[in-house]
Amino acid sequence: MFRLGTRGSPLALTQAGMVRDALMAAHGWDNVEIVTIRTTGDRVQDRALAEIGGKALWTKELDRALLAGEVDACVHSMKDVETLRPDAIAIAATLPRADVRDRLIGAASIAALPDKAVIGTSSPRRAAQLRRLRPDISAVLFRGNVDTRLGKLATGEVDATLLAAAGLERLGRHDTGVTIPLDVMLPAPAQGAVGVETLAEGSARALVAAIDHAPTHRAVAAERALLAGLRADCHSPVAALAVVEGGALVLRAQLLTPDGSESTEGTAEGADPVLLGARLAEELLERASPAVRALFG
């Protein structure tokens, strides 16, 4: 039996089911067990991740189970995986990427938000991008799974919120919210991508690699290399998207100040995702204002 570790939210379980089905189809297996592991990030919902340990709060319990041999692989939303990972763990596969865009829930558009609207979000990137477009907007901490956030919105705690289109689609919420075009808001690095990690050494890595979607893997690698080059963390408002065009990778990125008043954007193209991400990070930092540059490195 092959054991997949995952968080226990409805979205995480749906994504683990996608990986299970892909593995069963690839190998002709008839039984892949999904093992639910409760993470610190799931337990602590009243503070921003950056205040209590960053993205590792989504991964450390899953890492422990993987390293202890309690599971054979772990399923992650790749945008929630910290940039620097243990040497003993490898990203063995990514599934085909879903819609990378954000959806606005609570208004027909960003322009249609009421004056001095209050937006619920736990994302520094989303808050900064919204403030750049609408300086009158304020943001308050919004954490929890999709249903929790939508419930808070329904009770009037905020005027609107933003959620990833990919997660809403995977949960069957096809008509929830209004999709924001990419030329208005670039997504978070690795948004819309589901990754599967295994031990770097051992048979599981090759088994999982059979379901890898190479274009998604390359794009996510470039976006994560950008984050590494910037030395970005959970406080850093960074947006990025890589796409494969004619065999080459094209990487776009945006760095912002938290209030959105200053921004640096750039695009680069290349073949090697790691080198591409590192090069664009260096170029952006060279051109960034002191206020933006001070947030990185």
Side-chain angles (χ1 to χ4, degrees):
M1 178 182 294
F2 196 88
R3 301 158 299 170
L4 285 176
T6 180
R7 292 170 52 204
S9 72
L11 178 57
L13 291 170
T14 296
Q15 293 175 165
M18 294 163 54
V19 173
R20 174 200 60 205
D21 294 347
L23 286 170
M24 291 172 66
H27 298 295
W29 294 343
D30 59 7
N31 193 6
V32 173
E33 180 185 5
I34 293 177
V35 180
T36 302
I37 298 170
R38 189 164 172 79
T39 70
T40 304
D42 293 311
R43 290 194 296 270
V44 181
Q45 294 290 329
D46 61 345
R47 284 173 286 169
L49 285 180
E51 296 176 2
I52 54 175
K55 291 183 178 181
L57 296 179
W58 297 130
T59 58
K60 65 179 182 179
E61 285 89 356
L62 289 162
D63 290 351
R64 182 203 58 77
L66 182 59
L67 293 168
E70 297 170 9
V71 296
D72 300 296
C74 292
V75 181
H76 299 284
S77 291
M78 286 307 300
K79 75 172 182 176
D80 293 334
V81 177
E82 65 268 31
T83 308
L84 300 178
R85 302 293 288 133
D87 291 340
I89 294 175
I91 301 169
T94 56
L95 298 185
R97 199 171 197 171
D99 192 338
V100 300
R101 296 171 294 178
D102 288 312
R103 285 193 195 162
L104 176 67
I105 303 140
S109 67
I110 294 172
L113 287 166
D115 186 48
K116 298 182 180 178
V118 177
I119 306 300
T121 181
S122 60
S123 165
R125 185 263 313 174
R126 287 173 175 148
Q129 287 174 317
L130 280 175
R131 287 168 178 153
R132 183 162 183 78
L133 296 165
R134 287 281 304 272
D136 61 300
I137 286 174
S138 61
V140 298
L141 180 67
F142 231 38
R143 293 212 32 227
N145 63 36
V146 170
D147 286 334
T148 298
R149 298 186 197 196
L150 293 178
K152 289 179 179 181
L153 175 63
T155 60
E157 290 190 27
V158 294
D159 295 302
T161 189
L162 289 160
L163 293 171
L168 292 168
E169 287 290 328
R170 288 170 183 148
L171 290 171
R173 296 181 176 272
H174 309 294
D175 299 323
T176 299
V178 177
T179 303
I180 301 175
L182 291 175
D183 60 357
V184 176
M185 286 181 67
L186 271 181
Q191 184 158 305
V194 174
V196 191
E197 291 191 325
T198 66
L199 295 179
E201 303 292 336
S203 60
R205 185 174 185 177
L207 291 169
V208 170
I211 65 170
D212 186 47
H213 185 250
T216 298
H217 203 133
R218 290 182 67 203
V220 168
E223 293 160 26
R224 288 172 60 81
L226 172 86
L227 290 176
L230 294 170
R231 298 183 184 177
D233 59 23
C234 287
H235 296 280
S236 309
V238 181
L241 178 64
V243 295
V244 178
E245 295 183 358
L249 275 174
V250 178
L251 176 62
R252 296 167 55 197
Q254 180 185 36
L255 316 182
L256 304 105
T257 52
D259 64 0
S261 62
E262 297 187 40
S263 170
T264 302
E265 302 178 28
T267 302
E269 181 177 328
D272 184 295
V274 174
L275 294 178
L276 175 62
R279 174 162 56 88
L280 184 55
E282 182 178 0
E283 292 173 1
L284 289 172
L285 290 175
E286 285 178 354
R287 293 193 286 105
S289 69
V292 171
R293 195 181 306 117
L295 297 170
F296 302 93

